[in-house]
């Protein structure tokens, strides 16, 4: 049975996570796809192609991506190379304290250049990426022409 995990499953957006896929056939070609929807409903995604090692595992921190959104060994590549489905969109989090980005990870058999709704992943999971830690207080700043926010630790 194929399983994909993100450790930790809930973390701050600037903290590294570990993605692992287990239960594949040795040498199997797979596509790892990461996607999320921003606050306006715009989809951002990245995908990378991997060959499972001799034990049937894929770890983007150790195994090189063979292509897709990037190539080579990039432990956080699937998160760093997110691109919008619509041109000229940027991934900007407005409500930094209220909710996380819910990131979806999927593993597909073979090389999937595009994913249609009927394509079923071998495995999938979700991860939360928060922009503000628990207990952090956000104080808006408006002083003259200066606008900003002060984030105070608990």
């Amino acid at each position: 049975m194929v399983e994909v995990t993100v450790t930790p499953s809930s973390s701050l957006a600037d903290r590294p996570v570990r993605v692992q896929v287990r239960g594949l056939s040795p040498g199997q070609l797979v596509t790892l796809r990461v996607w999320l929807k921003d606050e306006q409903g715009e989809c951002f995604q990245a995908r990378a192609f991997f060959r499972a090692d001799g034990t049937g595992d894929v770890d983007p921190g150790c195994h090189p991506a063979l292509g897709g959104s990037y190539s080579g060994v990039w432990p956080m590549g699937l998160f760093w190379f997110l691109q919008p489905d619509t041109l000229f969109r940027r991934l900007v989090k407005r409500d930094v304290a209220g909710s996380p980005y819910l990131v979806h990870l999927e593993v597909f058999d073979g090389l999937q250049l595009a994913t249609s709704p009927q394509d079923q992943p071998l495995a999938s999971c979700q991860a939360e990426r928060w922009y503000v830690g628990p207990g952090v207080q956000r104080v808006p700043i408006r002083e003259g022409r200066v606008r900003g926010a002060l984030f105070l630790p608990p």
Side-chain angles (χ1 to χ4, degrees):
M1 182 171 154
V2 179
E3 177 186 28
V4 60
T5 58
V6 178
T7 309
S9 61
S10 183
S11 65
L12 290 173
D14 63 345
R15 299 284 190 243
V17 294
R18 183 170 186 196
V19 176
Q20 289 182 294
V21 181
R22 295 174 191 237
L24 300 167
S25 300
Q28 182 177 357
L29 281 171
V30 293
T31 300
L32 267 64
R33 175 180 176 238
V34 170
W35 64 275
L36 63 84
K37 289 198 177 200
D38 70 3
E39 294 159 329
Q40 284 76 40
E42 189 66 39
C43 187
F44 290 77
Q45 63 179 317
R47 69 184 67 236
F49 314 127
F50 292 92
R51 184 176 302 278
D53 64 12
T55 61
D57 295 345
V58 169
D59 182 347
C62 302
H63 302 120
L66 306 174
S69 301
Y70 68 96
S71 60
V73 178
W74 291 79
M76 291 293 294
L78 289 165
F79 293 85
W80 290 341
F81 290 97
L82 285 167
Q83 293 293 315
D85 285 352
T86 306
L87 292 176
F88 309 113
R89 298 285 189 168
R90 292 185 341 172
L91 186 59
V92 176
K93 184 77 170 139
R94 302 267 183 231
D95 179 19
V96 295
S99 64
Y101 274 133
L102 189 59
V103 182
H104 304 266
L105 287 89
E106 300 170 328
V107 180
F108 293 94
D109 187 29
L111 304 179
Q112 295 274 342
L113 297 174
T115 308
S116 62
Q118 66 266 20
D119 292 331
Q120 291 298 314
L122 298 173
S124 63
C125 72
Q126 296 179 357
E128 293 179 346
R129 301 292 279 172
W130 290 89
Y131 279 75
V132 175
V136 173
Q137 181 183 3
R138 182 181 189 272
V139 179
I141 296 175
R142 294 183 180 267
E143 192 68 38
R145 293 175 34 193
V146 175
R147 301 289 183 264
L150 173 64
F151 292 89
L152 297 171

